[in-house]
Amino acid sequence: MSFVEYGDTIKDGDTAIVFLGHESMFPVKVQHGSKTQTKYGVIRHSTDLIGKRYGSKVTCSKGGWVFILHPTPELWTMNLPHRTQILYSTDISLITMMLELKPGSIVCESGTGSGSLSHAIIRTVAPTGHLYTVEFHQQRAEKAKEEFQEHKVEHLVTVKNQDVCKNGFGVSNVADAVFLDIPSPWEAIGHAKSALKIEGGRICSFSPCIEQVQRTCLAMEEHGFTEINTLEILLRVYNVRTISLQIPDLGKAAEDNSSTGFDSSSQSNQGSLYGILQQGAAQFKSGVPLKEMVGHTGYLTFATKSLF
Amino acid sequence: MEESAKPGLRIREGDCAVLKRDEVFKAVLVLRRRKVIFEKQWFYLDNAIGHIYGTTFEVSSGGSLQPKKKMEETTTETKEAGTDNRNIVDDGKSQKLTHDDIKALKDKGIKGQEIVQQLIENSTTFRGKTEFAQDKYIKKKKKKYEAVITIVKPSTRILSTMYYAREPGKINHLRYDTLAQMLTLGNIRAGNKMIVMETCAGLVLGAIMERMGGYGSVIQMYPGGGPVRAATSCFGFPESFFNTLYEFPLSKVDSLVSGTFSSETLPSEPEYNVPAEEESNGSLDEKQTLIQETEEESSTEAVMESNETEEQETMDLAAEDTEYKGSKEKGNKENIREKQRKQQERRRKLVETAALLEEKNADGLIVASRFHPTPLLLSLLEFVAPSRPFVVYCQYKEPLLECYTKLREKGGVINLKLSETWLRNYQVLPDRSHPKLMMSGGGGYLLSGITVTAEKVQSDASSLEAQKIEEPTSKKRKLQELHC
């Protein structure tokens, strides 16, 4: 297995995802002799995991079961240990497409943070591209390096521990795309421009506050970037539920013969509209929004560097 | 400045390029002495050939393109401006230049910048406008009179934006951010073996191929006689990308699943499954019609597709005709032999593709079509390996509700999620930042999930699964929210 290539069976040293149920999963480092506790019991790596096919069901000691999944950057984003606030797949998807990332792309990123976007970029630019990622916090830079090694993608990424606003990305005129998720992106626009290839490239800045966006757009314009465009993307999730609504009792009309509206005897008229399961209720399937959803993560500003 | 000879950097004849003016895009084939119409302007692309992608041009008299140099914006000294619009009356008479005056200026060959300057000077209300209003006025006039066209290289970003704006009906109203979600949720990357079923003119296929970079393989399932790949040819992929692109008719899927597949009966319209160069011929026609067409309903789309195949057929027959101009007799014999050879090649490829599917080890499934998604998913998931993602797009929510339910019943899938994305553009200017007025009403819906090993035993496993995913407890809901 690898974060940039699928494997069929679980091997010693793999990072696998243990799936317990709806929105409940966690990553696990597969090792001979190790044991992992879950609420359904113990999983013994040597007997339960190693050699099994990814996607298999594993029964735990208490009798309950889980699924073992192959890691993907998306699953990693949902389960990684947070060292900073991270970017989620919704924003990551748009960033990837708008920066025109693909196999072979050279990308510069700062800050590395918890590596959520980094893993997604590495996956997209493999096997011939490269990610240069800059993180000014020493421990976070170290941890990121460790994780990339554990996930066997270190050949596709270079981690630098420095301040991108002062010292840039450490490379010149090599990048197809630059991504900034830092407190003062306008201070790094100049460095971003010099990191991008001479013939041009794409840039993206992610900022939670509109004031940051304003300063950044101005800086981009001053540095000659074109096609400056700010947008935001939100994810709306729906739960699929079978809903049963009661049919109100509007009473019976005085005369015997009349039967109108929701009178139970004439429900067959309404029955064609909904599947009437039991007396007095109409059932239907609905996509129900969550009670609360993530609204604003940040504004995404994209721009193009070109020779003209 | 060094002129790099890197492939793809410069505009070449035969390329599919995208014309851009402000937010409007249009894909065209770069051919000499071929008139192109874009944003009410007629011109030839001849002068563009050899320039680097991203170059900006102006249309000069005679319809030729002239590269526009980046000029310094004339520094605007603090001009006279008003404070608000209480005294500005819109009686339509504030511009002293008439329609004819402006036309005369244009005919004289006066540059757009000069025309804008003339309009400002001849506007009685300009001095009274606020600075912001003056700014907005100048921007508006520039947009109209300083016709600048940029020629850009096609990419998923550009083509998906273009299609959504120009011909959403052809792509089932798939908005570009929804497409972006599909590519990421599906973990599309180099080395995968992907199964794709789309009726989006080949845009989704092209996007997938771009993200795979020519590595791995793609099997495109198609309805009817053959796959539509008009948009795919716009991407400008190298020939090698098409060596690992396969296609398989939907009409044979059932037989494949049940083990009764035979290559004896090929789908009709055989001319469709042809090697790359003929395909590009057909799509040339396609592209010209792309330029003229307007939005269509899905019912006429079906008619469109069969028209396309006919077009292609006449094109290919014409090609074959000219090829064998020799003696009629000889021509006929060779014609027949050629046809037989092609049929055998098609049959061979079909068997090869069937074998690839029968391995049942695909790394993912992407569906984005005008058909009801449920039967497609239930059958095509058979060919996907366990622990792999799949994503289904539908313009409407309800079919995905049904799909979700049927998938739950069938089992073998986890982490099902029904979602849509909401996209909003912003205007960012000093003291004038706000979301833009117009928003896209909707960009379609996605159902995504992960496959797991299919279970033989079933009622208790599926009920256990159902238990696990029913109304989450309030604690789980909190977790959900945190996880965005």
Side-chain angles (χ1 to χ4, degrees):
Chain A
M1 86 98 221
S2 136
F3 272 76
V4 296
E5 205 182 0
Y6 280 118
D8 275 332
T9 49
I10 306 170
K11 294 186 174 61
D12 184 36
D14 281 1
T15 300
I17 307 288
V18 178
F19 182 89
L20 298 113
H22 192 52
E23 306 257 328
S24 175
M25 46 181 153
F26 60 88
V28 79
K29 178 99 188 187
V30 179
Q31 246 161 5
H32 264 300
S34 280
K35 282 191 267 203
T36 300
Q37 289 288 347
T38 76
K39 64 181 183 192
Y40 299 126
V42 177
I43 300 176
R44 294 187 168 74
H45 294 211
S46 309
T47 50
D48 298 328
L49 295 183
I50 298 180
K52 289 265 179 355
R53 204 169 176 197
Y54 275 107
S56 300
K57 195 187 246 193
V58 167
T59 311
C60 310
S61 58
K62 281 195 213 154
W65 46 263
V66 298
F67 283 105
I68 310 296
L69 301 177
H70 195 289
T72 64
E74 287 59 57
L75 286 175
W76 180 248
T77 290
M78 297 308 294
N79 294 296
L80 60 88
H82 285 213
R83 306 184 277 276
T84 59
Q85 172 60 279
I86 67 168
L87 278 183
Y88 290 94
S89 298
T90 313
D91 287 311
I92 292 175
S93 306
L94 194 62
I95 292 166
T96 307
M97 186 184 82
M98 298 292 276
L99 288 181
E100 302 186 359
L101 302 187
K102 52 184 187 265
S105 295
I106 310 290
V107 186
C108 289
E109 168 199 32
S110 188
T112 316
S114 309
S116 173
L117 176 64
S118 313
H119 278 84
I121 293 176
I122 291 169
R123 173 266 313 273
T124 302
V125 306
T128 42
H130 202 86
L131 170 66
Y132 295 94
T133 186
V134 173
E135 170 58 52
F136 65 2
H137 189 278
Q138 206 210 351
Q139 277 97 324
R140 286 204 292 263
E142 280 305 313
K143 197 73 183 74
K145 261 190 214 147
E146 271 174 42
E147 264 174 13
F148 295 139
Q149 270 164 348
E150 248 179 56
H151 297 162
K152 307 199 189 81
V153 294
E154 73 269 28
H155 58 292
L156 291 162
V157 58
T158 303
V159 182
K160 277 200 158 63
N161 177 211
Q162 62 195 44
D163 181 349
V164 70
C165 298
K166 297 208 174 70
N167 308 111
F169 292 94
V171 290
S172 287
N173 300 127
V174 298
D176 297 293
V178 169
F179 178 79
L180 294 168
D181 179 4
I182 54 178
S184 312
W186 56 91
E187 292 178 7
I189 297 294
H191 291 295
K193 188 174 183 194
S194 63
L196 285 168
K197 288 183 175 153
I198 294 173
E199 57 265 27
R202 295 277 292 165
I203 185 172
C204 173
S205 175
F206 176 85
S207 293
C209 304
I210 194 69
E211 296 86 354
Q212 295 169 301
V213 176
Q214 288 176 305
R215 291 217 187 105
T216 308
C217 285
L218 213 54
M220 284 179 178
E221 225 181 316
E222 283 164 8
H223 279 89
F225 283 93
T226 55
E227 253 189 297
I228 303 171
N229 183 27
T230 303
L231 35 75
E232 72 172 333
I233 184 168
L234 312 187
L235 183 72
R236 294 198 52 140
V237 179
Y238 297 99
N239 281 327
V240 182
R241 298 270 176 268
T242 307
I243 307 293
S244 193
L245 291 181
Q246 232 193 342
I247 300 199
D249 177 11
L250 300 175
K252 265 186 160 46
E255 305 91 274
D256 304 336
N257 298 329
S258 76
S259 48
T260 56
F262 287 104
D263 198 318
S264 51
S265 54
S266 71
Q267 258 174 9
S268 51
N269 299 335
Q270 313 302 322
S272 54
L273 278 177
Y274 311 105
I276 302 223
L277 197 58
Q278 64 216 47
Q279 186 86 1
Q283 210 178 62
F284 57 94
K285 278 238 179 288
S286 175
V288 178
L290 306 177
K291 177 169 162 278
E292 211 179 38
M293 58 175 258
V294 170
H296 177 74
T297 50
Y299 302 100
L300 287 164
T301 304
F302 297 96
T304 305
K305 171 188 173 182
S306 78
L307 285 165
F308 308 92
Chain B
M1 187 180 292
E2 40 77 66
E3 311 283 82
S4 162
K6 256 181 280 194
L9 197 65
R10 294 188 178 273
I11 303 167
R12 287 172 318 178
E13 190 172 8
D15 275 358
C16 178
V18 177
L19 306 174
K20 175 182 178 323
R21 183 176 159 186
D22 293 316
E23 306 297 320
V24 183
F25 296 98
K26 180 176 181 178
V28 290
L29 206 52
V30 179
L31 294 171
R32 290 185 196 274
R33 296 179 299 281
R34 182 72 67 97
K35 225 177 203 176
V36 162
I37 177 174
F38 176 56
E39 290 287 276
K40 296 189 185 143
Q41 290 187 294
W42 289 90
F43 50 90
Y44 297 92
L45 293 168
D46 300 43
N47 285 2
I49 296 174
H51 279 93
I52 295 180
Y53 275 104
T55 307
T56 306
F57 298 89
E58 263 179 331
V59 183
S60 59
S61 55
S64 66
L65 290 175
Q66 299 302 328
K68 180 171 199 235
K69 288 182 195 55
K70 208 182 205 173
M71 281 190 293
E72 276 303 312
E73 286 291 318
T74 43
T75 43
T76 44
E77 307 96 38
T78 36
K79 291 195 295 263
E80 195 183 340
T83 43
D84 56 44
N85 67 5
R86 69 183 79 197
N87 293 323
I88 300 194
V89 176
D90 184 8
D91 56 7
K93 299 200 194 108
S94 41
Q95 177 55 247
K96 291 304 160 200
L97 291 182
T98 65
H99 214 67
D100 292 327
D101 289 333
I102 297 171
K103 192 169 185 312
L105 287 176
K106 271 204 250 184
D107 289 339
K108 256 197 266 180
I110 304 276
K111 278 210 175 301
Q113 227 179 339
E114 187 50 39
I115 295 181
V116 174
Q117 198 54 40
Q118 289 289 321
L119 286 166
I120 293 172
E121 284 167 19
N122 284 285
S123 161
T124 54
T125 48
F126 187 81
R127 281 175 2 211
K129 291 180 196 266
T130 64
E131 262 185 61
F132 292 164
Q134 287 178 348
D135 219 24
K136 200 169 173 179
Y137 180 89
I138 294 172
K139 273 206 181 102
K140 189 173 166 190
K141 295 305 173 194
K142 273 192 171 161
K143 192 171 168 178
K144 188 166 180 187
Y145 294 102
E146 281 186 31
V148 178
I149 297 172
T150 313
I151 301 187
V152 297
K153 203 154 193 283
S155 66
T156 301
R157 166 179 81 95
I158 290 184
L159 292 173
S160 59
T161 314
M162 182 189 83
Y163 263 95
Y164 187 70
R166 289 186 94 87
E167 310 204 65
K170 278 202 161 179
I171 54 170
N172 300 101
H173 294 260
L174 171 67
R175 200 175 56 209
Y176 44 95
D177 58 301
T178 311
L179 175 60
Q181 301 301 313
M182 291 167 71
L183 297 171
T184 298
L185 286 172
N187 197 19
I188 310 294
R189 64 181 172 189
N192 280 2
K193 177 178 174 180
M194 295 303 303
I195 299 180
V196 185
M197 165 51 205
E198 61 114 298
T199 59
C200 297
L203 175 67
V204 175
L205 175 66
I208 290 172
M209 286 171 74
E210 186 184 78
R211 290 281 273 264
M212 290 177 61
Y215 300 91
S217 60
V218 182
I219 303 170
Q220 183 184 12
M221 316 298 292
Y222 62 87
V228 178
R229 291 180 181 158
T232 320
S233 44
C234 286
F235 282 82
F237 296 130
E239 276 303 306
S240 55
F241 276 39
F242 293 90
N243 295 341
T244 46
L245 173 61
Y246 303 86
E247 52 277 335
F248 194 83
L250 280 182
S251 55
K252 293 272 180 188
V253 166
D254 240 13
S255 65
L256 203 59
V257 172
S258 64
T260 58
F261 171 74
S262 119
S263 67
E264 287 317 304
T265 44
L266 287 168
S268 55
E269 312 288 306
E271 246 61 41
Y272 230 113
N273 291 358
V274 289
E277 63 268 29
E278 285 183 326
E279 219 172 281
S280 60
N281 274 345
S283 54
L284 191 160
D285 243 52
E286 248 287 295
K287 257 171 255 147
Q288 308 299 32
T289 44
L290 195 140
I291 291 164
Q292 312 302 340
E293 262 142 25
T294 50
E295 191 177 310
E296 288 151 341
E297 297 288 21
S298 46
S299 53
T300 48
E301 255 183 62
V303 176
M304 266 283 306
E305 248 182 46
S306 53
N307 282 345
E308 286 157 23
T309 55
E310 274 161 18
E311 255 172 52
Q312 178 115 19
E313 212 171 31
T314 38
M315 281 220 64
D316 289 347
L317 287 176
E320 282 185 22
D321 271 322
T322 48
E323 254 183 275
Y324 302 111
K325 252 189 201 153
S327 88
K328 253 197 194 168
E329 265 182 29
K330 183 181 178 201
N332 278 341
K333 265 196 213 145
E334 288 207 22
N335 238 337
I336 294 170
R337 229 180 295 155
E338 185 61 24
K339 272 208 174 123
Q340 277 179 340
R341 192 188 63 76
K342 280 198 179 142
Q343 251 198 340
Q344 269 178 334
E345 177 59 25
R346 271 196 318 273
R347 196 163 283 148
R348 188 195 67 75
K349 256 239 149 161
L350 189 68
V351 170
E352 184 185 353
T353 311
L356 286 173
L357 285 169
E358 274 164 335
E359 287 176 344
K360 300 202 177 180
N361 63 358
D363 292 317
L365 170 66
I366 303 290
V367 175
S369 77
R370 62 179 186 273
F371 295 100
H372 199 291
T374 308
L376 286 172
L377 265 206
L378 292 180
S379 54
L380 295 178
L381 277 177
E382 293 288 316
F383 305 117
V384 181
S387 191
R388 297 292 184 270
F390 60 90
V391 188
V392 189
Y393 165 82
C394 187
Q395 191 181 347
Y396 309 99
K397 201 203 293 184
E398 290 76 5
L400 291 180
L401 294 176
E402 200 213 279
C403 204
Y404 180 104
T405 310
K406 287 282 177 339
L407 281 177
R408 275 262 166 270
E409 282 169 26
K410 179 181 188 253
V413 296
I414 55 168
N415 215 27
L416 283 178
K417 191 162 90 167
L418 174 62
S419 65
E420 72 167 326
T421 43
W422 191 82
L423 189 69
R424 199 175 207 184
N425 270 287
Y426 284 77
Q427 165 185 293
V428 177
L429 292 169
D431 296 321
R432 285 161 285 171
S433 300
H434 58 74
K436 285 199 178 149
L437 175 66
M438 295 306 290
M439 261 183 78
S440 158
Y445 301 85
L446 291 180
L447 177 65
S448 62
I450 303 176
T451 55
V452 288
T453 46
E455 297 266 302
K456 305 304 169 113
V457 190
Q458 278 5 334
S459 52
D460 49 333
S462 51
S463 63
L464 262 176
E465 180 74 20
Q467 259 173 49
K468 282 192 177 175
I469 54 92
E470 267 316 308
E471 282 295 333
T473 58
S474 52
K475 187 177 181 199
K476 269 206 186 138
R477 228 182 248 132
K478 271 221 181 102
L479 233 123
Q480 245 162 263
E481 285 145 21
L482 284 176
H483 274 289
C484 129

